[in-house]
Amino acid sequence: MFWDEEATRQGVTEVSVERAAEFDAAGFGGRLRDARIGANLSQNDMANLLDLSQATYSRIENGRIEPSRVTSTLLERASQAVSRSMAWLLLGSPVRARVRLAARRTDEQDVRDRAERALGLLELDAELENVAEFANLGPSVANGAVWKEFVKPMAHASRRQGKERAEDLRETLGLGTDPLEDVPTVLERELGVDAAVLSFPDGLSAVAAFDDERELAFLAVCAADPWVRQRFSFAHELAHVLFADGHAYEHDHRRSPTEMRAEKFAQNFLIPEGGVRAWMADHQYSPDERLSRDDACRLADLYGVSPKTAWIALADLDAAPREQPPTSASAAIVAGTLARHEMRERSCHAERVPTRMEVRILEAFRNGFLSAATTANALGQDQDILAEAAATINDEPRVREASAVSTPS
């Protein structure tokens, strides 16, 4: 049976489940609750699927169940209902315990509690890795974790280090001084860093997660943030990855040396000094001449940065306009690209999971390992689209012999 093989792999047997005094009923109930919500099922739905009364099921989620009641039949039915493995329901995942987190935030609240969206995605990805062993459901780690080759810790952080590292990285990757059209794609394709846009609670702007066991670096920015801020946050968090700044929880109002170094890296990665100088020369500006406000707005729009970031980059060359930087929308009006600006703003608020994870999750869905609801929640998409796709996919689901993710009912 699947249960026997999976449980043996995890070092657990049905007998030990029934007899173990250390059985974590609260943990089991909490995981079942989270998975049920992720599968868009009500408590009554789950009760019916498990052939239990709603009251009995409620007690399970509240952690009031005896170990002897957690039979292989109950586990298998629950696993099928929520598209998670029985071992995960019973034991949890080691991912949450081992993943290191760094975050940009504006309050003192616990980051792990508020980064649930990111942690849940990493947890599902790790579980699907077991399926990939025999079902070929996508790569385990993005592009071979190339990012590790560029990690060079440096003590006594300085802005100059941030600027020089950004210039070196652009040169090494062959990016030149041109604008970066799609920062997440650059991170994934060139560095093997997973990049996501996810919904976070207020006060949490970006999260960097590291799974050393899988050699995985995962950056996620807030879907509610403007497009230019998302780009800057990606570059800012990349700096922390490349300088190995650890996993302290940074607040936006703190301007520590490592934060200032990351800001200077992000600035020069997105709008490199060489590109600014070349643009000025093309527009007949002398090296010691200040740009007009309108031209500075055009430069900001070209490189996909906020006017404030463009002004800072120009100030480094003593070329910043005397006027204060306007808003990004005003800059787009000046640049004649308001329609593009509005399109970017509309599109950037949709959730985006890393390409590698999206491929794996959709393959798992197509092959019957994940339900439409679980897939939709994982990808941040409309469940109706996935449900319609499930009805039209012609491929027969693969027959599983011992996967880590259960086939949904």
Side-chain angles (χ1 to χ4, degrees), residues 206-265:
V207 169
F210 305 90
D211 188 339
D212 297 324
E213 183 173 309
R214 300 180 63 203
E215 297 188 320
L216 181 149
F218 174 94
L219 305 183
V221 301
C222 182
D225 285 347
W227 183 72
V228 292
R229 181 173 175 82
Q230 289 179 356
R231 286 165 60 85
F232 196 89
S233 292
F234 272 129
H236 182 106
E237 295 305 316
L238 176 61
H240 289 313
V241 173
L242 300 184
F243 284 107
D245 286 336
H247 52 284
Y249 299 146
E250 297 288 354
H251 293 242
D252 283 350
H253 63 270
R254 295 180 181 175
R255 291 184 58 79
S256 65
T258 56
E259 285 296 289
M260 289 187 284
R261 178 171 66 183
E263 288 177 1
K264 190 55 67 174
F265 172 92

CSV table of all heavy atoms in Angstrom, one decimal, residues 206-265:
chain,number,residue,atom,x,y,z
A,206,ALA,N,9.1,42.5,1.5
A,206,ALA,CA,9.8,41.5,0.7
A,206,ALA,C,10.4,40.4,1.7
A,206,ALA,O,10.6,40.7,2.8
A,206,ALA,CB,11.0,42.1,-0.1
A,207,VAL,N,10.5,39.2,1.1
A,207,VAL,CA,11.0,38.1,1.9
A,207,VAL,C,12.1,37.4,1.1
A,207,VAL,O,11.9,37.2,-0.1
A,207,VAL,CB,9.9,37.1,2.3
A,207,VAL,CG1,10.5,35.8,2.8
A,207,VAL,CG2,9.0,37.7,3.3
A,208,ALA,N,13.2,37.0,1.7
A,208,ALA,CA,14.2,36.2,1.1
A,208,ALA,C,14.3,34.9,2.0
A,208,ALA,O,14.4,35.0,3.2
A,208,ALA,CB,15.6,36.9,1.1
A,209,ALA,N,14.2,33.8,1.3
A,209,ALA,CA,14.2,32.5,2.0
A,209,ALA,C,15.3,31.6,1.5
A,209,ALA,O,15.6,31.6,0.2
A,209,ALA,CB,12.9,31.8,1.9
A,210,PHE,N,16.0,30.9,2.3
A,210,PHE,CA,17.1,30.1,1.9
A,210,PHE,C,16.9,28.7,2.5
A,210,PHE,O,16.7,28.5,3.7
A,210,PHE,CB,18.4,30.6,2.4
A,210,PHE,CG,18.7,32.1,2.0
A,210,PHE,CD1,18.3,33.1,2.8
A,210,PHE,CD2,19.3,32.3,0.9
A,210,PHE,CE1,18.5,34.4,2.5
A,210,PHE,CE2,19.5,33.7,0.5
A,210,PHE,CZ,19.1,34.7,1.3
A,211,ASP,N,16.9,27.7,1.6
A,211,ASP,CA,16.9,26.3,2.0
A,211,ASP,C,18.2,25.7,1.6
A,211,ASP,O,18.5,25.3,0.5
A,211,ASP,CB,15.7,25.6,1.2
A,211,ASP,CG,15.5,24.2,1.7
A,211,ASP,OD1,16.4,23.6,2.3
A,211,ASP,OD2,14.4,23.6,1.5
A,212,ASP,N,19.1,25.6,2.6
A,212,ASP,CA,20.5,25.2,2.3
A,212,ASP,C,20.5,23.7,1.9
A,212,ASP,O,21.4,23.4,1.1
A,212,ASP,CB,21.3,25.4,3.6
A,212,ASP,CG,21.5,26.8,4.0
A,212,ASP,OD1,21.5,27.7,3.1
A,212,ASP,OD2,21.5,27.1,5.2
A,213,GLU,N,19.6,22.9,2.4
A,213,GLU,CA,19.6,21.5,2.0
A,213,GLU,C,19.4,21.3,0.5
A,213,GLU,O,19.9,20.4,-0.1
A,213,GLU,CB,18.6,20.7,2.8
A,213,GLU,CG,18.6,19.2,2.6
A,213,GLU,CD,17.6,18.5,3.5
A,213,GLU,OE1,17.8,18.7,4.7
A,213,GLU,OE2,16.8,17.7,3.0
A,214,ARG,N,18.5,22.2,0.0
A,214,ARG,CA,18.2,22.1,-1.5
A,214,ARG,C,18.9,23.1,-2.3
A,214,ARG,O,18.7,23.2,-3.5
A,214,ARG,CB,16.7,22.3,-1.7
A,214,ARG,CG,15.8,21.3,-1.0
A,214,ARG,CD,14.3,21.5,-1.2
A,214,ARG,NE,14.0,21.4,-2.6
A,214,ARG,CZ,13.0,21.9,-3.2
A,214,ARG,NH1,12.2,22.7,-2.5
A,214,ARG,NH2,12.7,21.8,-4.5
A,215,GLU,N,19.8,23.9,-1.7
A,215,GLU,CA,20.6,24.9,-2.4
A,215,GLU,C,19.7,25.9,-3.1
A,215,GLU,O,19.9,26.3,-4.2
A,215,GLU,CB,21.6,24.3,-3.3
A,215,GLU,CG,22.7,23.5,-2.7
A,215,GLU,CD,23.8,23.1,-3.7
A,215,GLU,OE1,23.4,22.7,-4.9
A,215,GLU,OE2,24.9,23.1,-3.3
A,216,LEU,N,18.6,26.3,-2.4
A,216,LEU,CA,17.6,27.1,-3.0
A,216,LEU,C,17.6,28.5,-2.3
A,216,LEU,O,17.6,28.6,-1.1
A,216,LEU,CB,16.2,26.4,-2.8
A,216,LEU,CG,15.0,27.1,-3.3
A,216,LEU,CD1,14.0,26.0,-3.7
A,216,LEU,CD2,14.3,28.0,-2.3
A,217,ALA,N,17.5,29.5,-3.2
A,217,ALA,CA,17.3,30.9,-2.8
A,217,ALA,C,16.0,31.4,-3.4
A,217,ALA,O,15.8,31.2,-4.6
A,217,ALA,CB,18.5,31.8,-3.3
A,218,PHE,N,15.2,31.9,-2.6
A,218,PHE,CA,13.8,32.3,-3.0
A,218,PHE,C,13.5,33.7,-2.6
A,218,PHE,O,13.6,34.1,-1.4
A,218,PHE,CB,12.8,31.3,-2.3
A,218,PHE,CG,11.4,31.6,-2.5
A,218,PHE,CD1,10.6,31.1,-3.6
A,218,PHE,CD2,10.7,32.5,-1.7
A,218,PHE,CE1,9.3,31.3,-3.7
A,218,PHE,CE2,9.3,32.8,-1.8
A,218,PHE,CZ,8.6,32.2,-2.9
A,219,LEU,N,13.2,34.6,-3.5
A,219,LEU,CA,12.9,36.0,-3.2
A,219,LEU,C,11.5,36.3,-3.6
A,219,LEU,O,11.0,35.9,-4.7
A,219,LEU,CB,13.8,36.9,-4.0
A,219,LEU,CG,15.3,36.7,-3.9
A,219,LEU,CD1,16.1,37.8,-4.7
A,219,LEU,CD2,15.7,36.8,-2.4
A,220,ALA,N,10.8,36.9,-2.7
A,220,ALA,CA,9.4,37.3,-3.0
A,220,ALA,C,9.1,38.7,-2.6
A,220,ALA,O,9.6,39.1,-1.5
A,220,ALA,CB,8.4,36.3,-2.2
A,221,VAL,N,8.4,39.4,-3.4
A,221,VAL,CA,8.1,40.8,-3.1
A,221,VAL,C,6.5,40.9,-3.0
A,221,VAL,O,5.8,40.0,-3.5
A,221,VAL,CB,8.6,41.8,-4.2
A,221,VAL,CG1,10.1,41.7,-4.3
A,221,VAL,CG2,7.9,41.5,-5.6
A,222,CYS,N,6.1,42.0,-2.4
A,222,CYS,CA,4.7,42.2,-2.1
A,222,CYS,C,3.9,42.6,-3.4
A,222,CYS,O,4.2,43.5,-4.1
A,222,CYS,CB,4.5,43.2,-1.0
A,222,CYS,SG,2.8,43.5,-0.5
A,223,ALA,N,2.8,41.8,-3.6
A,223,ALA,CA,2.0,42.1,-4.8
A,223,ALA,C,1.3,43.5,-4.7
A,223,ALA,O,0.9,44.0,-5.8
A,223,ALA,CB,0.9,41.0,-5.0
A,224,ALA,N,1.1,44.0,-3.5
A,224,ALA,CA,0.5,45.3,-3.4
A,224,ALA,C,1.4,46.5,-3.7
A,224,ALA,O,0.9,47.6,-3.9
A,224,ALA,CB,-0.1,45.4,-2.0
A,225,ASP,N,2.7,46.3,-3.8
A,225,ASP,CA,3.6,47.4,-4.1
A,225,ASP,C,3.6,47.8,-5.5
A,225,ASP,O,3.3,47.0,-6.4
A,225,ASP,CB,5.0,46.9,-3.7
A,225,ASP,CG,5.2,46.9,-2.2
A,225,ASP,OD1,4.4,47.5,-1.4
A,225,ASP,OD2,6.3,46.4,-1.7
A,226,PRO,N,3.9,49.0,-5.8
A,226,PRO,CA,4.0,49.5,-7.2
A,226,PRO,C,5.1,48.7,-7.9
A,226,PRO,O,6.0,48.2,-7.3
A,226,PRO,CB,4.4,51.0,-7.1
A,226,PRO,CG,4.0,51.4,-5.7
A,226,PRO,CD,4.2,50.1,-4.8
A,227,TRP,N,5.0,48.8,-9.3
A,227,TRP,CA,6.0,48.0,-10.1
A,227,TRP,C,7.4,48.4,-9.9
A,227,TRP,O,8.3,47.5,-9.7
A,227,TRP,CB,5.6,48.3,-11.6
A,227,TRP,CG,6.4,47.5,-12.6
A,227,TRP,CD1,6.3,46.2,-12.9
A,227,TRP,CD2,7.3,48.1,-13.5
A,227,TRP,NE1,7.2,45.9,-13.9
A,227,TRP,CE2,7.9,47.0,-14.3
A,227,TRP,CE3,7.8,49.4,-13.7
A,227,TRP,CZ2,8.8,47.2,-15.3
A,227,TRP,CZ3,8.8,49.6,-14.7
A,227,TRP,CH2,9.3,48.5,-15.4
A,228,VAL,N,7.7,49.7,-9.8
A,228,VAL,CA,9.1,50.1,-9.6
A,228,VAL,C,9.6,49.7,-8.2
A,228,VAL,O,10.8,49.4,-8.1
A,228,VAL,CB,9.3,51.6,-9.8
A,228,VAL,CG1,9.0,52.0,-11.2
A,228,VAL,CG2,8.3,52.4,-8.9
A,229,ARG,N,8.7,49.7,-7.2
A,229,ARG,CA,9.2,49.3,-5.9
A,229,ARG,C,9.4,47.8,-5.9
A,229,ARG,O,10.4,47.3,-5.2
A,229,ARG,CB,8.1,49.6,-4.8
A,229,ARG,CG,8.5,49.2,-3.4
A,229,ARG,CD,7.5,49.7,-2.4
A,229,ARG,NE,7.9,49.2,-1.1
A,229,ARG,CZ,8.8,49.7,-0.2
A,229,ARG,NH1,9.5,50.8,-0.7
A,229,ARG,NH2,9.0,49.2,0.9
A,230,GLN,N,8.6,47.0,-6.6
A,230,GLN,CA,8.9,45.5,-6.7
A,230,GLN,C,10.2,45.3,-7.3
A,230,GLN,O,11.0,44.4,-6.8
A,230,GLN,CB,7.8,44.9,-7.5
A,230,GLN,CG,6.4,44.8,-6.8
A,230,GLN,CD,5.4,44.1,-7.7
A,230,GLN,OE1,5.6,43.8,-8.8
A,230,GLN,NE2,4.2,44.0,-7.1
A,231,ARG,N,10.6,46.0,-8.4
A,231,ARG,CA,11.8,45.8,-9.0
A,231,ARG,C,13.0,46.1,-8.1
A,231,ARG,O,14.0,45.4,-8.0
A,231,ARG,CB,11.9,46.7,-10.3
A,231,ARG,CG,11.1,46.1,-11.4
A,231,ARG,CD,10.9,47.2,-12.5
A,231,ARG,NE,12.1,47.7,-13.1
A,231,ARG,CZ,12.8,47.1,-14.1
A,231,ARG,NH1,12.3,46.0,-14.6
A,231,ARG,NH2,13.9,47.6,-14.6
A,232,PHE,N,12.8,47.2,-7.4
A,232,PHE,CA,13.9,47.6,-6.5
A,232,PHE,C,14.0,46.6,-5.3
A,232,PHE,O,15.1,46.3,-4.9
A,232,PHE,CB,13.6,49.0,-5.9
A,232,PHE,CG,14.8,49.7,-5.3
A,232,PHE,CD1,15.7,50.5,-6.0
A,232,PHE,CD2,15.0,49.5,-3.9
A,232,PHE,CE1,16.8,51.1,-5.4
A,232,PHE,CE2,16.2,50.1,-3.3
A,232,PHE,CZ,17.0,50.9,-4.1
A,233,SER,N,12.9,46.1,-4.8
A,233,SER,CA,12.9,45.1,-3.7
A,233,SER,C,13.6,43.9,-4.2
A,233,SER,O,14.4,43.3,-3.4
A,233,SER,CB,11.5,44.8,-3.3
A,233,SER,OG,10.9,45.9,-2.6
A,234,PHE,N,13.4,43.4,-5.4
A,234,PHE,CA,14.1,42.2,-5.9
A,234,PHE,C,15.6,42.4,-5.9
A,234,PHE,O,16.3,41.6,-5.5
A,234,PHE,CB,13.6,41.9,-7.4
A,234,PHE,CG,12.4,41.0,-7.5
A,234,PHE,CD1,11.3,41.4,-8.2
A,234,PHE,CD2,12.3,39.8,-6.8
A,234,PHE,CE1,10.2,40.6,-8.3
A,234,PHE,CE2,11.2,39.0,-6.9
A,234,PHE,CZ,10.1,39.4,-7.7
A,235,ALA,N,16.0,43.6,-6.4
A,235,ALA,CA,17.4,43.9,-6.5
A,235,ALA,C,18.0,44.1,-5.1
A,235,ALA,O,19.1,43.6,-4.9
A,235,ALA,CB,17.7,45.1,-7.4
A,236,HIS,N,17.3,44.7,-4.2
A,236,HIS,CA,17.7,44.9,-2.9
A,236,HIS,C,17.9,43.6,-2.1
A,236,HIS,O,19.0,43.3,-1.5
A,236,HIS,CB,16.7,45.7,-2.1
A,236,HIS,CG,17.0,46.1,-0.7
A,236,HIS,ND1,17.4,47.3,-0.3
A,236,HIS,CD2,17.0,45.3,0.4
A,236,HIS,CE1,17.7,47.3,1.0
A,236,HIS,NE2,17.5,46.1,1.4
A,237,GLU,N,17.0,42.7,-2.3
A,237,GLU,CA,17.1,41.4,-1.6
A,237,GLU,C,18.2,40.5,-2.3
A,237,GLU,O,18.9,39.7,-1.6
A,237,GLU,CB,15.8,40.6,-1.7
A,237,GLU,CG,14.7,41.3,-0.9
A,237,GLU,CD,15.0,41.5,0.6
A,237,GLU,OE1,15.6,40.6,1.2
A,237,GLU,OE2,14.8,42.6,1.1
A,238,LEU,N,18.4,40.7,-3.6
A,238,LEU,CA,19.5,40.0,-4.2
A,238,LEU,C,20.8,40.4,-3.7
A,238,LEU,O,21.7,39.5,-3.5
A,238,LEU,CB,19.5,40.3,-5.7
A,238,LEU,CG,20.6,39.7,-6.6
A,238,LEU,CD1,20.6,38.1,-6.5
A,238,LEU,CD2,20.5,40.1,-8.0
A,239,ALA,N,21.0,41.6,-3.3
A,239,ALA,CA,22.2,42.1,-2.7
A,239,ALA,C,22.5,41.3,-1.4
A,239,ALA,O,23.6,40.9,-1.1
A,239,ALA,CB,22.1,43.6,-2.4
A,240,HIS,N,21.4,41.2,-0.6
A,240,HIS,CA,21.6,40.4,0.7
A,240,HIS,C,22.0,39.0,0.4
A,240,HIS,O,22.8,38.4,1.2
A,240,HIS,CB,20.3,40.5,1.5
A,240,HIS,CG,20.0,41.8,2.1
A,240,HIS,ND1,20.9,42.5,2.7
A,240,HIS,CD2,18.8,42.5,2.1
A,240,HIS,CE1,20.4,43.7,3.2
A,240,HIS,NE2,19.1,43.7,2.8
A,241,VAL,N,21.5,38.4,-0.7
A,241,VAL,CA,21.9,37.0,-1.0
A,241,VAL,C,23.4,37.0,-1.4
A,241,VAL,O,24.1,36.2,-0.9
A,241,VAL,CB,21.0,36.5,-2.2
A,241,VAL,CG1,21.6,35.2,-2.7
A,241,VAL,CG2,19.6,36.4,-1.8
A,242,LEU,N,23.8,37.9,-2.3
A,242,LEU,CA,25.2,37.9,-2.8
A,242,LEU,C,26.2,38.3,-1.7
A,242,LEU,O,27.4,37.8,-1.8
A,242,LEU,CB,25.3,38.8,-4.0
A,242,LEU,CG,24.4,38.5,-5.2
A,242,LEU,CD1,24.6,39.4,-6.3
A,242,LEU,CD2,24.5,37.0,-5.6
A,243,PHE,N,25.8,39.1,-0.8
A,243,PHE,CA,26.7,39.5,0.3
A,243,PHE,C,26.6,38.6,1.5
A,243,PHE,O,27.3,38.7,2.5
A,243,PHE,CB,26.5,40.9,0.7
A,243,PHE,CG,27.1,41.9,-0.2
A,243,PHE,CD1,26.2,42.7,-1.1
A,243,PHE,CD2,28.4,42.1,-0.4
A,243,PHE,CE1,26.7,43.6,-2.0
A,243,PHE,CE2,29.0,43.0,-1.3
A,243,PHE,CZ,28.1,43.8,-2.1
A,244,ALA,N,25.7,37.6,1.5
A,244,ALA,CA,25.5,36.7,2.6
A,244,ALA,C,25.2,37.4,3.9
A,244,ALA,O,25.9,37.2,4.9
A,244,ALA,CB,26.6,35.7,2.7
A,245,ASP,N,24.3,38.3,3.8
A,245,ASP,CA,24.1,39.2,5.0
A,245,ASP,C,23.3,38.5,6.1
A,245,ASP,O,22.9,39.2,7.1
A,245,ASP,CB,23.3,40.4,4.6
A,245,ASP,CG,24.1,41.4,3.8
A,245,ASP,OD1,25.4,41.4,4.0
A,245,ASP,OD2,23.6,42.2,3.0
A,246,GLY,N,23.1,37.2,6.0
A,246,GLY,CA,22.4,36.5,7.1
A,246,GLY,C,20.9,36.6,7.0
A,246,GLY,O,20.4,36.9,6.0
A,247,HIS,N,20.3,36.4,8.1
A,247,HIS,CA,18.8,36.3,8.1
A,247,HIS,C,18.2,37.2,9.2
A,247,HIS,O,17.3,36.8,9.9
A,247,HIS,CB,18.3,34.9,8.2
A,247,HIS,CG,18.8,34.1,9.3
A,247,HIS,ND1,20.1,33.6,9.3
A,247,HIS,CD2,18.3,33.7,10.5
A,247,HIS,CE1,20.3,32.9,10.4
A,247,HIS,NE2,19.2,33.0,11.2
A,248,ALA,N,18.8,38.4,9.4
A,248,ALA,CA,18.2,39.3,10.4
A,248,ALA,C,17.0,39.9,9.8
A,248,ALA,O,16.8,40.0,8.5
A,248,ALA,CB,19.2,40.4,10.7
A,249,TYR,N,16.0,40.3,10.6
A,249,TYR,CA,14.8,40.9,10.1
A,249,TYR,C,15.0,42.4,10.1
A,249,TYR,O,15.0,43.1,11.1
A,249,TYR,CB,13.6,40.5,11.0
A,249,TYR,CG,13.4,39.0,11.1
A,249,TYR,CD1,12.9,38.4,12.3
A,249,TYR,CD2,13.6,38.2,10.0
A,249,TYR,CE1,12.7,37.1,12.3
A,249,TYR,CE2,13.3,36.9,10.1
A,249,TYR,CZ,12.9,36.3,11.2
A,249,TYR,OH,12.6,35.0,11.3
A,250,GLU,N,15.1,43.0,8.9
A,250,GLU,CA,15.4,44.4,8.8
A,250,GLU,C,14.1,45.2,8.7
A,250,GLU,O,13.1,44.7,8.1
A,250,GLU,CB,16.2,44.6,7.5
A,250,GLU,CG,17.6,44.0,7.6
A,250,GLU,CD,18.6,44.7,8.5
A,250,GLU,OE1,18.2,45.7,9.1
A,250,GLU,OE2,19.7,44.2,8.7
A,251,HIS,N,14.1,46.3,9.3
A,251,HIS,CA,12.9,47.2,9.2
A,251,HIS,C,13.3,48.3,8.2
A,251,HIS,O,14.4,48.8,8.1
A,251,HIS,CB,12.7,47.9,10.6
A,251,HIS,CG,12.2,46.9,11.6
A,251,HIS,ND1,11.0,47.0,12.2
A,251,HIS,CD2,12.8,45.8,12.1
A,251,HIS,CE1,10.8,46.0,13.0
A,251,HIS,NE2,11.9,45.3,13.0
A,252,ASP,N,12.2,48.8,7.5
A,252,ASP,CA,12.5,49.8,6.5
A,252,ASP,C,13.1,51.1,7.1
A,252,ASP,O,13.8,51.8,6.4
A,252,ASP,CB,11.2,50.2,5.8
A,252,ASP,CG,10.8,49.1,4.8
A,252,ASP,OD1,11.6,48.2,4.5
A,252,ASP,OD2,9.7,49.1,4.3
A,253,HIS,N,12.8,51.4,8.4
A,253,HIS,CA,13.2,52.6,8.9
A,253,HIS,C,14.7,52.5,9.4
A,253,HIS,O,15.3,53.5,9.8
A,253,HIS,CB,12.3,53.1,10.1
A,253,HIS,CG,12.3,52.2,11.2
A,253,HIS,ND1,11.4,51.1,11.3
A,253,HIS,CD2,13.1,52.1,12.3
A,253,HIS,CE1,11.6,50.5,12.5
A,253,HIS,NE2,12.7,51.0,13.1
A,254,ARG,N,15.2,51.4,9.4
A,254,ARG,CA,16.6,51.2,9.8
A,254,ARG,C,17.5,51.4,8.6
A,254,ARG,O,17.3,50.8,7.6
A,254,ARG,CB,16.9,49.8,10.4
A,254,ARG,CG,16.1,49.5,11.7
A,254,ARG,CD,16.5,48.1,12.2
A,254,ARG,NE,15.8,47.8,13.4
A,254,ARG,CZ,15.8,46.6,14.0
A,254,ARG,NH1,16.5,45.6,13.4
A,254,ARG,NH2,15.2,46.4,15.1
A,255,ARG,N,18.6,52.2,8.8
A,255,ARG,CA,19.5,52.4,7.7
A,255,ARG,C,20.9,51.9,8.1
A,255,ARG,O,21.8,52.7,8.3
A,255,ARG,CB,19.5,53.8,7.2
A,255,ARG,CG,18.2,54.2,6.5
A,255,ARG,CD,18.3,55.7,6.0
A,255,ARG,NE,19.4,55.9,5.1
A,255,ARG,CZ,19.4,55.5,3.8
A,255,ARG,NH1,18.3,54.9,3.3
A,255,ARG,NH2,20.4,55.8,3.0
A,256,SER,N,21.0,50.6,8.4
A,256,SER,CA,22.2,50.0,8.8
A,256,SER,C,23.2,50.0,7.6
A,256,SER,O,22.7,50.2,6.4
A,256,SER,CB,22.0,48.6,9.2
A,256,SER,OG,21.5,47.8,8.2
A,257,PRO,N,24.5,49.8,7.8
A,257,PRO,CA,25.4,49.7,6.7
A,257,PRO,C,25.0,48.7,5.6
A,257,PRO,O,25.2,48.9,4.4
A,257,PRO,CB,26.7,49.4,7.4
A,257,PRO,CG,26.6,50.0,8.7
A,257,PRO,CD,25.2,49.8,9.1
A,258,THR,N,24.6,47.5,6.1
A,258,THR,CA,24.2,46.5,5.1
A,258,THR,C,23.0,46.9,4.3
A,258,THR,O,22.9,46.6,3.1
A,258,THR,CB,23.9,45.1,5.8
A,258,THR,OG1,22.8,45.3,6.8
A,258,THR,CG2,25.1,44.6,6.5
A,259,GLU,N,22.0,47.6,4.9
A,259,GLU,CA,20.9,48.1,4.2
A,259,GLU,C,21.3,49.1,3.2
A,259,GLU,O,20.8,49.1,2.0
A,259,GLU,CB,19.8,48.6,5.1
A,259,GLU,CG,19.0,47.6,5.9
A,259,GLU,CD,18.2,46.7,4.9
A,259,GLU,OE1,17.2,47.2,4.4
A,259,GLU,OE2,18.6,45.6,4.7
A,260,MET,N,22.2,50.0,3.5
A,260,MET,CA,22.6,51.1,2.6
A,260,MET,C,23.4,50.5,1.5
A,260,MET,O,23.3,50.9,0.3
A,260,MET,CB,23.4,52.1,3.3
A,260,MET,CG,22.6,53.0,4.3
A,260,MET,SD,23.5,54.4,5.0
A,260,MET,CE,24.4,53.5,6.3
A,261,ARG,N,24.2,49.4,1.8
A,261,ARG,CA,24.9,48.7,0.7
A,261,ARG,C,23.9,48.0,-0.3
A,261,ARG,O,24.1,48.1,-1.5
A,261,ARG,CB,25.8,47.7,1.3
A,261,ARG,CG,26.6,46.8,0.3
A,261,ARG,CD,27.7,46.0,1.0
A,261,ARG,NE,27.1,44.9,1.8
A,261,ARG,CZ,27.8,44.1,2.6
A,261,ARG,NH1,29.1,44.2,2.6
A,261,ARG,NH2,27.2,43.2,3.3
A,262,ALA,N,22.9,47.4,0.3
A,262,ALA,CA,21.9,46.8,-0.6
A,262,ALA,C,21.2,47.8,-1.4
A,262,ALA,O,20.8,47.5,-2.6
A,262,ALA,CB,20.9,46.0,0.3
A,263,GLU,N,20.9,49.0,-0.9
A,263,GLU,CA,20.2,50.0,-1.6
A,263,GLU,C,21.1,50.5,-2.8
A,263,GLU,O,20.6,50.7,-3.9
A,263,GLU,CB,19.8,51.2,-0.7
A,263,GLU,CG,18.7,50.9,0.2
A,263,GLU,CD,18.4,52.0,1.2
A,263,GLU,OE1,19.1,53.1,1.0
A,263,GLU,OE2,17.5,51.9,2.0
A,264,LYS,N,22.4,50.7,-2.5
A,264,LYS,CA,23.3,51.1,-3.6
A,264,LYS,C,23.5,50.0,-4.7
A,264,LYS,O,23.6,50.3,-5.9
A,264,LYS,CB,24.6,51.5,-3.0
A,264,LYS,CG,25.5,52.2,-4.0
A,264,LYS,CD,24.9,53.5,-4.6
A,264,LYS,CE,24.6,54.6,-3.6
A,264,LYS,NZ,24.1,55.8,-4.3
A,265,PHE,N,23.5,48.8,-4.2
A,265,PHE,CA,23.5,47.7,-5.2
A,265,PHE,C,22.3,47.7,-6.1
A,265,PHE,O,22.4,47.6,-7.3
A,265,PHE,CB,23.6,46.3,-4.5
A,265,PHE,CG,23.5,45.1,-5.4
A,265,PHE,CD1,24.6,44.5,-6.0
A,265,PHE,CD2,22.2,44.6,-5.7
A,265,PHE,CE1,24.5,43.5,-6.8
A,265,PHE,CE2,22.1,43.5,-6.6
A,265,PHE,CZ,23.2,43.0,-7.1
